[in-house]
Every structure is written in structure tokens, then in C-alpha cells.
């Protein structure tokens, strides 16, 4: 679509210099300077003209511009005040419909305590997509927070470091299946997407990345907090049987066994073999 000027590697350097940005590891600041990559993320998410997208961590605006190019409305959350205040100008200079964009400056982990910014061209706030190159150090909590706070999100497509992508999309029984895999499965079905080379970033990180797409599912009928407590207990002692691992959660190993049997789960199994629905059954079981 005409009217958008994506950021090149030299644009990334020039913009950073002008803003006095020295990318920090603490904030996971690795900026993408490759139009092919940001377009790939947008098309992997399936964003179309008129969709309303939440972006966490827009940085200098690389992915933001590709979302706008696809005809989306974008509400962004950026923690870094310098980056957040520079974005409207970057968008206005590079896209012909800047009224489709708005940014709010806050920590995405505190989403529950803040209002998202509504693009001037929209009259209400109902983002159905989350598309982001997530800051690596808070990728999983940021993702789970967005699912929890924004029930309107139906598709979530994020770039995370490869190891986290594999973990998020892992099936039960796999070596990397863990707390993030099961908690994400409460909200959505995850599918691992394409690998993204570290070479598209500035500065270049020491790991590769990958996309993960989540399609929201109907949440199980159970108390989420209670189910997540069972998940945390089961994985806190990964090598132990569920009978042992859930002992302090249930009050004793014998009580854990009763709960497990009531849920139809063999107490000798390990947490890493259970689906989210198995964890729901344990939380809902009467001992
Ligand atoms: N989207 C940009 C891109 O693809 O070039 C930048 C991605 S960079 C990996 C992550 C961005 O998230 C940075 O701009 C960083 O300042 C921001 N960030 C880090 N922690 C954050 C948080 N807790 N809430 C919101 N933004 C955060």
C-alpha cells in the first residue's frame, strides 16, 4: 500500500542518534531495521485493513509502520519516555494516515492500571490483535497480562527469543513444556511461526528469534487463579510425581493423591505430561 516509508538500518541509527538513545538490555531494546521482517510479522498475524492492533514496545516504530501500511489502527504501549514521545512524529513523517496511531507511555506489565491510547480516527478501544516484537526479559508476563486484561484480543502474534517461542508452543510431554506453555494454553492455542535471524536487529542480540501465533479459545470454566496455583505447584518440583509435587498445595501427599484420583489423574504422573484441561480438572476436583 502506498503512503508508508518503513525504517531501514540507517534510519534506525539516525533516529537513535538524534534521540540520544543508547539501547539497553534491561528494556530489551533491539530494533528491527528490515522491511521484509516487519512485513512478514504483519502477514503472519493476518492483520487486514481496518483491524485494531495493540502493539507492546513499538521502539522506534519499525513494526508500527508496517502495521499502519497494512491499513490497521495501532494503539501502542511503550515504557521508554523518549521513544514514546518521538513516535507520533516518526509516524507523521512516514505514513499518510497518522490519525490511525496513538501511543501511551507505561509499563505493559501494569496494563490493568492504565488506559490505552485510542487513535484519533477511532471512537472506542477494542483491539482484537496484539502484534509485537516483545522485550525479551518480560515477554511471557507481558503476554499473559495482555491476555488477562484484554478479553477482546482474539489473535496474538509475537516475536520472542527462539527458546521462549518453543516453550510457549510446546505440547505436553515435550522437554520444554513448562509453566508458560500451560498458562498460555489457558487463553489460546499456540503455533510456532518462522525463525527470525538475529541479524535483522540493531544492536544484534546473541540469540535468534521466532514468531508465535495464538488463537484465542474459550476459557475453561474454572477459577483461573486457582488453576494457575496448581500449575505453579506442579512445576516447582518438576522431577517429582504429582503426588509429591502437590503435597504442600493440597496439605499433604495423601490429600494430593485424593484430589488427583478425584480428577481422574494418576498420582504417579509428572506435571509436564498434563494438559491445561487436566490442571483444570485437578483444581475443580473435590477431595
Ligand atoms: N517494536 C520495535 C522493533 O521491532 O524494532 C522495538 C522492539 S524492542 C525488542 C522492545 C521494546 O519494548 C523497546 O522499545 C522497549 O523500550 C520496550 N519495552 C521494554 N519493556 C517494556 C515494558 N515493560 N512495557 C512496554 N514497553 C517495554
Amino acid at each position: 500500500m502506498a503512503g508508508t516509508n518503513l525504517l531501514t538500518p540507517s534510519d534506525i541509527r539516525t533516529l537513535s542518534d538524534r534521540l540520544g538513545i543508547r539501547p539497553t538490555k534491561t528494556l530489551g531494546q533491539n530494533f528491527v531495521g528490515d522491511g521484509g521482517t516487519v512485513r512478514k510479522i504483519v502477514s503472519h498475524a493476518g492483520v487486514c485493513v481496518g483491524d485494531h492492533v495493540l502493539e507492546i514496545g513499538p521502539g522506534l516504530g519499525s513494526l508500527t509502520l508496517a502495521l499502519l501500511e497494512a491499513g490497521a489502527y495501532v494503539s501502542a504501549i511503550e515504557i521508554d519516555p523518549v521513544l514514546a514521545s518521538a513516535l507520533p512524529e516518526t509516524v507523521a513523517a512516514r505514513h499518510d494516515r497518522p490519525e490511525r496511531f496513538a501511543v501511551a507511555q507505561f509499563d505493559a506489565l501494569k496494563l490493568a492500571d492504565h488506559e490505552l491510547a485510542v487513535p484519533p480516527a477511532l471512537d472506542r478501544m477494542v483491539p482484537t490483535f496484539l502484534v509485537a516484537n516483545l522485550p525479551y526479559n518480560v515477554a511471557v508476563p507481558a503476554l499473559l497480562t495482555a491476555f488477562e486484561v484484554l478479553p477482546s484480543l482474539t489473535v496474538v502474534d509475537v516475536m520472542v527469543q527462539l527458546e521462549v517461542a518453543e516453550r510457549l508452543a510446546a505440547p505436553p510431554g515435550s522437554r520444554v513444556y513448562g509453566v508458560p506453555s500451560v498458562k498460555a494454553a489457558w487463553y489460546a492455542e499456540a503455533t510456532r511461526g518462522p525463525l527470525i535471524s538475529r541479524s535483522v536487529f540493531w544492536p544484534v542480540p546473541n540469540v535468534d528469534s521466532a514468531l508465535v501465533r495464538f488463537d484465542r479459545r474459550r476459557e475453561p470454566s474454572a477459577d483461573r487463579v486457582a488453576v494457575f496455583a496448581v500449575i505453579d505447584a506442579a512445576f516447582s518440583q518438576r522431577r517429582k510425581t504429582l503426588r509429591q509435587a502437590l503435597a504442600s498445595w493440597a496439605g499433604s501427599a495423601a490429600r494430593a493423591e485424593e484430589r488427583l484420583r478425584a480428577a481422574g489423574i494418576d498420582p504417579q504422573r509428572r506435571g509436564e505430561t498434563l494438559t491445561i484441561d487436566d490442571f483444570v480438572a485437578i483444581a475443580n476436583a473435590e477431595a
Side-chain angles (χ1 to χ4, degrees), residues 1 42-43 45-53 67 70-73 100 129:
M1 200 180 288
V42 174
S43 88
V47 169
C48 294
V49 176
D51 285 329
H52 185 184
V53 180
L67 290 164
Y73 297 88
R100 289 173 170 248
F129 284 79

Side-chain angles (χ1 to χ4, degrees), residues 71-132:
Y73 297 88
V74 180
S75 294
I77 306 171
E78 171 58 60
I79 198 170
D80 185 322
V82 176
L83 289 172
S85 61
L87 271 162
E89 199 183 312
T90 305
V91 168
R94 292 175 168 268
H95 180 66
D96 54 9
R97 304 286 306 277
E99 68 283 4
R100 289 173 170 248
F101 171 76
V103 60
Q105 188 258 317
F106 62 84
D107 178 349
L109 301 182
K110 309 247 168 72
L111 186 56
D113 306 331
H114 293 268
E115 294 283 318
L116 290 173
V118 186
L122 279 179
D123 57 6
R124 62 201 177 110
M125 172 53 64
V126 195
T128 50
F129 284 79
L130 163 60
V131 182

Side-chain angles (χ1 to χ4, degrees), residues 240-263:
K240 294 199 171 163
T241 63
L242 285 165
R243 184 181 190 279
Q244 293 299 332
L246 296 183
S248 57
W249 167 79
S252 68
R255 292 192 60 143
E257 175 159 354
E258 282 171 31
R259 286 288 277 266
L260 287 158
R261 293 210 184 281

